[in-house]
Structure formats: C-alpha cells, structure tokens
Amino acid sequence: MRPHLKMLERSLIERILDETFTVLESTGILIDSPAGFERLRELGLPGDDATRRVTFPRSTVERAIADAPSAFTLFDRSGEPFTELAGDRVHFVPASSALRILDRSSGEPRDATSADFVEYARVADRLAHIAYLSTAFIPKDVPSDIADGWRLYLALATSEKPVVSGAFTSHGVPRMAEMMSLFRRDREDLAARPNSIFTCCPSTPLRWAEDAIQNLLDCAGWGIPIEVVPVLLLGMISPATTVGALVLHSAEVLSGLTIAQLVRPGTPVLFGGAPASFHMQLMTNPMTAVEALQVYCGYAAIAKHLGLPCQAYMGLSDSKLNDPQAGAESGMGMLLAALAGFNSVSGPGMLDYVNCFSLEKLVFDDELAAHALRFTRPVEVKDDLPTRPLLDELLRENHLLTAEHTLERWPEELYLPGPMIDRTNWEQWDLQGRPDSTARAGELIETALEDYDVPPLDPALDAEIRRLFSSTCNEPGVELPALVERR
Amino acid sequence: MPDYALMNQRVFEGDRESVAEMTRAALEAGRPPLEVLEDGLIAAMRVVGEDFKYNRIFVPEVLLAARAMKAGMAVLQPLLTSSEGDSSAGTIVLGTVKGDLHDIGKNLVGMMAEGAGFQIVDLGTNTSAEEFIAAVREHRADILGMSALLTTTMVYMKTVVDEMRAAGLEHVRICVGGAPISQAYADEIGAHGYAADAGSAVQLFKRLVAPSAPPA
Ligand code: B1M
C-alpha cells in the first residue's frame, strides 16, 4: 500500500461538497468583466445583470466534473510524452512568479534579469527530483508588458521539460499560446500535446476578476491545461476554520473547472490552490502556516474523491533566508504534499511569501523532494516475510552486510542522499573543511551548470519567437536580451 | 460630566450601540460635540493604536473599535461645524494601480487608516491616472495612496506621479506600498512616502498631514 494521508471522512467530504454545490447554485460567482459575464451567459450559465453574478446549477457542475479528465499527459518541447498527472503520482516543481531572486553572492534579494532566468532553467533542468519547470520569477530587463511570455520563452529555449506558467494581463494568454503552438503542427496539436500548465486565479471570495476570467476562457479555448488556484486568507477573506475554508475553496475551483469544461469539454483542470493563513498581528499571508497545510491536504482529499488531478503551493517557505525555518517549512510541506498525493506541487525554490526565489533553496528542495517521494513508496513484502530465516542469518553472522538479501535489496532500499543532507560524522565533516549548506548548494549549482547539455532551439524558430515579442510589445523594435547565463 | 473613561472602554470593546448611545447622552447633557469627539472617541482610538503597535491587541479588535468609533461619529457629524467636521485626520484617495487586481493589502491600509480617523475614498483596483486625479480633485484629497503587487504594474505608479504633477496637484502627498515596492522605488519615482505595512502606512499618513510636515 502507498502511504497516504487520510484527513477527511467520506461523509464529511460529501457534506462539504453538498454545501459547495449550494454556494455555487445560490450565491454564485461575481464575474468582474462585462465581456466575461456575457460569454458565460452564452455558455448557458444563469446570470443576474444587476449583480453580474453567475450561478452554477448542480447538474452543470456535475457534468463538468465528469467531462474533466481525471488524468492527463504533459509533453516535452518536441512533443514527446513526458509525464502523466494521474492518481497519486507526485511531481515537485519550482514555485512560480517571484518578484525577486536571492542573489547567490550577496545573499540579498534583488531584481532578476533574463540571464538569471537562463541560469535557473539550466539548473532546474538537471535536478533529478524536480519533475518539470515553472516560470519561477520575472526578468526585469524586458518591457513589462511582455515579461510573462518572455520568461516562458526563456524556459522553453533552455529546457525541453514542460513548464508551469501563466499570464499577467487579460491579453497575455493568446500571445503565449501562439508561441507554444510554434512548437507544434498547429493549435489543435498543441491542445492534444500540451507542454505547459497555466495558473488561473479566482479572487477570493467568489469572484473572477477581469484579467483572470479572460485568462481562464482563453486557456480553455486553446485547450491549455489549467490549475485553478484560489488564495484564501484564513480569518480574513475566508472562514478561519478548515471546513468552511474547504467549502469556499472548492466552490471557487469548481467554478473555474465548470467554465473551462463549458468552453471546451475535456480541458485538463487541476484542483489547485494556495490557501494561506492571515497573521492577525503582522497582516501577512503565511502559506506554510500549519492550519493552511490542513486546508491543502483537505482539498486534496476532495479532489481525489471527485477523481480530479490536484495541485498545491507547498514546499515553499516564508523565511527570508535559507535558514532552519526554510528547511523545516519546506520539508514539512513537501512530505505532506507527497502523502496527500498532489500531482503537481509548486514550492521548491521559493522563500518570503512567494516573493523571492533562491537557486540554493531549489537544489536543497530537490533533495527534500527525493525524501518525500521515497517516503510514499508502497510498503510491500520483499522476501522478508517470514523474517526468521533472515534473523537466523543475522544471529549466526552478527551482521547482514553480506547477506544475499541485503546485497540484492539495499541499493534500492537504503537511500544515499546527495550533498545537501550532511551524513558525515563530525571528524569527516571537519576534514572536508566544514562545508555549510550554502557552500554545498553552490557546488551543486556549478555542477548542474557544467552538466547542462540541452540542444538549443532551432535558430529559425528562435528568431520567429523573438520577432513575435519585439513586434508586439509596448516598445516595438526594442532589443531583447540574448540567451546567456549569468557567470 | 459624561463618563468618558467608560465610553473609551466601550469603543475599545467595539460596542457600537453603547458608543452611539453614550455619544447621544453626552450631547443631551450639553457637552460640546468637539469635546465628545476628542475625549470620548479619539482618545480611545489612540489607545487602540498604541495597543496594536505593541502587540497587545490584534487586527480584528482594531477594526471593531474603529467601527464603534464610526457609530459615535455618525451621531456627532451633523453637529460639527464644517471646519470641526474636517477634524477628520484627512482625506485619502486610495486605489490599486492600472492592470493590477490585488486589493487585500490596499483594503487593510484603508480600514486601518479609517480607524485612525482618515476619510477614505477607495477607487478599488485597476485604477488609471485619470481616475486617481479626478477623485483627488473631487474629494480635495490630502493624500493619494497607491498600491501595486506586480512587478509589471508597479511602473504605472510613476505615470500617476508624473500626471499628478502635470495636473498641478503637487500639494497632494503621494504614498505607495505593496510587496514589490520599496523606499528606494518610492524615492525614484518621486512619491512622498512608502510604507511596508498597514500599521506603518497609518503612521506615515499622520506624519504627512501633520501641520509641521514639510511642504511637498
Ligand atoms: C498607499 O500606501 C500603501 C502603503 C502600504 C501598502 C499599500 C499601499 N499596499 C499594500 N501595502 C502594505 O500594507 C499591506 C498590509 O500590511 C501589505 O499588503 P500586501 O498585499 O503585501 O499583503 C496582504 C495583506 C497579503 N498579501 C496579499 O494579498 C498578496 C498575496 C499574494 C500571494 C497574491 C494574491 C493573494 C493574489 N494574486 Co497574485 N498574489 C501575489 C502575492 C504574493 C505576496 N505574498 O505578496 C503575487 C503578487 N501575485 C502574483 C501573480 C503572478 C498573480 N497574482 C494574481 C492573482 C492573485 C489572486 C487573485 C489569487 C490574489 C489577489 C486577491 C486580491 N483580492 O487581492 C494574478 C494577477 C492578476 C492581476 N492582473 O493583478 C497573477 C498574475 C497570477 C495569475 N497567473 O493569474 C505574483 C507577482 C509576480 C510578479 N513578479 O509581479 C505574486 C508575488 C505571487 C507569485 N509569486 O505568484 C503591504 O504590502
């Protein structure tokens, strides 16, 4: 059996869902965009002109849940199947869209450049337990209106792996989708072989803002897999308690899922989220708060109950540095995410309330991901039941180091962590020059950069994409940065 | 003499009905409206501010107290002369800049500032320079407060600062805040103040409208 976190009784899940359907059917969702509101009415959702709220009949939502795939495949840059988001299969992914990065030499946060992004993408591409990439932060050396698409281009140009991304404006998705379709035969081929998941965020409570609804409609129109990510702040814009929060959260996710299915039945939708607590003194939004972790694991259970793939912002930290708090929060989040069976876990690399990305943290989190994934391996009988023959051998030989069972099993059973987890004894560590975790992370980053060997984009394709950006941005003809890493 | 200490206590507890009633009773007893305002309501909010600053109370208590104070204000307002009515700490036009839909932080700033006696004109999210300027003019605002959460929208703050100047509104103090904003950025774009959180935003607003504040 695969170790699994059981958080909610089936009967409670059903009560939460009943209430969720009632909220959707009676309170409904505010659509903060006249065009978006009209479009949803055209799609058949009842809407009130005066309040611009649409409601979701239970049967419509249930049909949408049935239409939404319970699993889907992400493809690589060249269109080969890369991985399946299905069942309890867990993928750890760098968290998305930081405002700044933690500079490796000064240890201070600063604005990022395209070169920083290329460096990040090269490292992330090499990490064994980081399943695919995200557009982790925003380079500030390009016009701001193309920054969202530009970072996706940098990711696609640097790595063949899929990318979690998203648009920053109401017109952002079409340009990004056009670009992705250049890697496929045509638009339909992109929908059939998607390379990216896009984040779409409702505005809690129970609202889709103008940009967000347009992004959602556009993503579904293009058949781009969507993660619907509400950000509840417990006690502020959400009930402070878990069950109430789960109702609100589920209503928002299912509103997005239903809209996506009405636009294009079969669009992959992840039951996502980034719930946070609200700090009643500091007014901050800790996503790593222990009560928020309970909401995460709770909605994973609801998603599983509905047979939907799920996503979470877990494995990040609210600390400003790669300190014990960062390790503890990230480790706790990642282990819980793995136990809950989240299919896509956005968190590695992120500090400071999703505001600051650290490459050193990413390589540390790669190790934590390895640990979390190993913990969820099924516990099975492996020639060790009955156990007495093994124990007899142990008593006879005083050890099992050379036993046939050990020789055959230990390489698979006993995990040797990489350098980020220090397993030396004091003397060994002292002899090695007492390397701290920052130094060890630095070495791993350098190794990853040296090992990087992804073929560059076809020059004609590359030129076409760059033309797309330079011709459609606010500063037409602007010289866009070359693809070099920061050394 | 009204029991102002008890009235302060009721404000502190967020007891709207009692505060409104005690305000009415004080007026009926012939006390001057300005005295009731100062000793009954503002004095209580000063303690609330201090207690919050030193972590003795939390956000909900501050907002409850502010609500109770408003209930008292509603009784007083019609009796205050227009200049006394202006004894509100000042008027702030507040909004999240164009292209940006984040409003949680901005709302908190508004609520806390209202609690401290400011009049808030909240323009919501996705606010253009024209909308800011029109509201500043209409409400004769003392302060324009802008919030931005995206690296891609923060740049619009500079547009607003420039257009405020071009519109001849140099005398209005401009404050900025939000996760990507810093004091250095505020200085760079020519804003008069930056605050990292709602508590310090209120302190900043108070400093900027104080009679001793340096001219903009
Ligand atoms: C006038 O003077 C002042 C003075 C002080 C002022 C002030 C004004 N304004 C604020 N302050 C200060 O006082 C407040 C109280 O103490 C503080 O306000 P804050 O707002 O900082 O703090 C609040 C109390 C709590 N914090 C928050 O409310 C913001 C939290 C984070 C997680 C966040 C949230 C909640 C949301 N988001 Co958005 N979001 C993030 C945020 C990351 C972060 N931690 O900042 C950020 C800002 N978002 C981001 C993104 C990418 C996006 N978001 C989006 C949407 C959303 C939600 C709708 C889900 C939701 C907003 C809901 C709402 N009604 O506001 C999208 C943008 C939509 C748009 N056009 O605006 C979208 C583009 C996602 C998408 N793909 O759709 C990232 C920015 C990336 C960048 N580089 O610019 C981000 C850093 C998270 C991330 N890493 O992805 C101070 O800053």
Side-chain angles (χ1 to χ4, degrees):
Chain A
M1 177 196 149
R2 176 203 195 274
H4 213 285
L5 187 78
K6 185 160 164 43
M7 251 204 54
L8 302 174
E9 294 293 344
R10 192 187 168 89
S11 58
L12 183 54
I13 294 181
E14 281 163 0
R15 284 176 63 196
I16 289 172
L17 278 172
D18 267 343
E19 185 68 2
T20 301
F21 287 125
T22 306
V23 168
L24 283 171
E25 202 157 32
S26 45
T27 311
I29 303 277
L30 173 67
I31 306 298
D32 229 348
S33 140
F37 178 75
E38 264 325 300
R39 179 86 176 96
L40 296 196
R41 287 241 294 232
E42 279 161 27
L43 289 167
L45 290 172
D48 176 349
D49 279 319
T51 61
R52 238 188 260 138
R53 271 185 184 280
V54 294
T55 49
F56 296 75
R58 183 171 182 145
S59 57
T60 309
V61 182
E62 283 174 342
R63 195 167 49 247
I65 293 169
D67 284 344
S70 58
F72 66 97
T73 301
L74 277 175
F75 294 77
D76 70 12
R77 183 172 83 180
S78 58
E80 295 302 317
F82 184 81
T83 189
E84 213 196 359
L85 280 77
D88 285 332
R89 189 153 173 191
V90 176
H91 303 83
F92 287 103
V93 191
S96 270
S97 303
L99 304 169
R100 322 174 249 274
I101 59 169
L102 200 64
D103 185 87
R104 287 210 283 137
S105 27
S106 70
E108 289 290 317
R110 65 165 170 84
D111 287 347
T113 62
S114 298
D116 293 315
F117 195 97
V118 170
E119 182 177 87
Y120 142 74
R122 290 185 175 195
V123 172
D125 183 82
R126 304 315 304 162
L127 297 176
H129 311 287
I130 298 300
Y132 38 90
L133 271 63
S134 77
T135 41
F137 51 86
I138 312 296
K140 287 193 73 173
D141 53 357
V142 292
S144 62
D145 65 311
I146 56 164
D148 53 1
W150 181 254
R151 61 196 178 134
L152 177 59
Y153 154 66
L154 294 176
L156 292 172
T158 314
S159 170
E160 293 179 302
K161 295 182 178 177
V163 191
V164 175
S165 193
F168 278 21
T169 62
S170 56
H171 50 268
V173 170
R175 180 165 46 202
M176 293 165 86
E178 292 286 352
M179 173 177 66
M180 290 191 291
S181 69
L182 296 174
F183 292 81
R184 299 288 185 267
R185 281 193 302 276
D186 53 27
R187 201 180 151 137
E188 276 314 304
D189 189 23
L190 178 66
R193 297 187 294 158
N195 177 228
S196 186
I197 300 171
F198 269 40
T199 309
C200 290
C201 301
S203 285
T204 307
L206 303 175
R207 180 162 68 102
W208 280 93
E210 192 177 345
D211 295 16
I213 188 69
Q214 194 55 49
N215 288 173
L216 179 67
L217 291 165
D218 287 341
C219 284
W222 279 82
I224 297 171
I226 296 162
E227 51 186 38
V228 181
V229 177
V231 184
L232 275 64
L233 303 192
L234 305 178
M236 191 203 174
I237 49 168
S238 152
T241 46
T242 304
V243 169
L246 286 172
V247 169
L248 176 59
H249 186 102
S250 303
E252 294 188 349
V253 172
L254 291 180
S255 74
L257 176 135
T258 304
I259 293 167
Q261 300 312 311
L262 289 172
V263 173
R264 188 184 180 112
T267 303
V269 176
L270 289 146
F271 198 120
S277 185
F278 180 69
H279 195 293
M280 291 291 185
Q281 226 155 32
L282 299 172
M283 293 178 264
T284 51
N285 53 306
M287 285 172 185
T288 52
V290 65
E291 55 280 1
L293 295 178
Q294 226 185 37
V295 176
Y296 280 104
C297 296
Y299 81 71
I302 294 172
K304 306 256 164 221
H305 177 85
L306 295 173
L308 296 168
C310 51
Q311 178 275 352
Y313 264 83
M314 291 172 99
L316 29 75
S317 169
D318 295 331
S319 178
K320 316 299 168 283
L321 311 166
N322 286 305
D323 60 359
Q325 180 186 340
E329 287 178 337
S330 306
M332 197 155 42
M334 287 162 88
L335 187 60
L336 284 171
L339 285 171
F342 276 108
N343 303 105
S344 194
V345 185
S346 302
M350 197 60 89
L351 292 168
D352 186 14
Y353 300 98
V354 230
N355 284 333
C356 187
F357 195 85
S358 158
L359 211 46
E360 280 123 340
K361 180 173 189 297
L362 184 68
V363 296
F364 183 57
D365 292 347
D366 176 54
E367 185 58 68
L368 292 179
H371 276 67
L373 291 169
R374 279 193 75 81
F375 189 84
T376 55
R377 288 182 316 154
V379 179
E380 294 160 340
V381 176
K382 293 177 178 171
D383 302 327
D384 50 357
L385 207 65
T387 321
R388 273 187 50 214
L390 272 176
L391 298 185
D392 289 346
E393 190 175 351
L394 173 56
L395 294 175
R396 200 170 53 241
E397 301 289 332
N398 273 336
H399 63 81
L400 285 177
L401 285 169
T402 50
E404 207 177 306
H405 182 264
T406 307
L407 293 176
E408 194 182 316
R409 295 283 176 178
W410 89 263
E412 175 56 26
E413 289 302 308
L414 307 182
Y415 173 57
L416 296 181
M420 290 319 296
I421 296 291
D422 175 24
R423 291 277 157 80
T424 56
N425 64 25
W426 177 274
E427 287 73 20
Q428 290 165 332
W429 182 64
D430 191 37
L431 273 175
Q432 286 174 2
R434 304 183 171 202
D436 65 10
S437 61
T438 313
R440 282 177 274 143
E443 270 180 38
L444 280 179
I445 291 168
E446 292 308 322
T447 313
L449 290 172
E450 275 156 29
D451 287 353
Y452 172 79
D453 63 351
V454 174
L457 283 188
D458 167 55
L461 173 61
D462 190 64
E464 190 174 352
I465 297 176
R466 296 174 77 90
R467 233 183 350 262
L468 177 74
F469 283 112
S470 62
S471 64
T472 57
C473 77
N474 273 347
E475 303 164 34
V478 67
E479 193 162 332
L480 295 166
L483 277 187
V484 287
E485 77 189 92
R486 191 179 152 269
R487 298 302 282 174
Chain B
M1 185 73 180
D3 188 347
Y4 284 129
L6 184 64
M7 193 165 160
N8 289 172
Q9 181 60 27
R10 294 290 175 257
V11 173
F12 202 83
E13 289 162 0
D15 182 345
R16 278 190 282 189
E17 286 77 28
S18 298
V19 171
E21 203 165 302
M22 291 178 86
T23 307
R24 243 175 263 120
L27 292 173
E28 274 161 21
R31 305 314 304 171
L34 255 188
E35 176 192 294
V36 184
L37 174 69
E38 180 54 44
D39 297 352
L41 301 178
I42 292 179
M45 288 311 288
R46 242 178 248 130
V47 180
V48 169
E50 284 292 292
D51 277 5
F52 182 67
K53 191 165 155 197
Y54 294 106
N55 298 337
R56 290 190 286 260
I57 58 171
F58 302 95
V59 176
E61 285 90 42
V62 176
L63 298 180
L64 285 175
R67 230 160 58 175
M69 147 137 181
K70 260 181 106 175
M73 276 302 286
V75 178
L76 283 176
Q77 201 77 53
L79 302 174
L80 294 168
T81 64
S82 65
S83 68
E84 287 167 350
D86 273 357
S87 65
S88 91
T91 300
I92 305 175
V93 163
L94 200 59
T96 302
V97 297
K98 193 165 152 186
D100 201 321
L101 303 165
H102 295 83
D103 63 0
I104 297 168
K106 183 255 313 161
N107 293 349
L108 276 166
V109 169
M111 287 189 252
M112 300 297 274
E114 200 172 41
F118 285 92
Q119 228 154 7
I120 302 297
V121 180
D122 188 345
L123 304 183
T125 58
N126 193 19
T127 313
S128 68
E130 298 73 47
E131 289 165 319
F132 276 125
I133 288 170
V136 163
R137 285 209 170 109
E138 184 189 339
H139 300 278
R140 296 164 177 269
D142 303 289
I143 295 176
L144 166 63
M146 286 185 279
S147 183
L149 266 285
L150 296 173
T151 44
T152 48
T153 57
M154 61 190 275
V155 287
Y156 191 73
M157 288 176 161
K158 166 119 177 62
T159 308
V160 181
V161 171
D162 292 347
E163 296 202 10
M164 283 282 287
R165 239 164 242 148
L169 294 166
E170 293 92 344
H171 58 285
V172 177
R173 314 298 163 100
I174 302 180
C175 299
V176 290
I181 311 301
S182 60
Q183 182 63 54
Y185 185 70
D187 295 342
E188 185 189 318
I189 62 170
H192 304 109
Y194 156 78
D197 55 52
S200 49
V202 174
Q203 304 305 321
L204 170 69
F205 299 152
K206 283 183 178 165
R207 266 202 318 278
L208 287 176
V209 294
S212 57

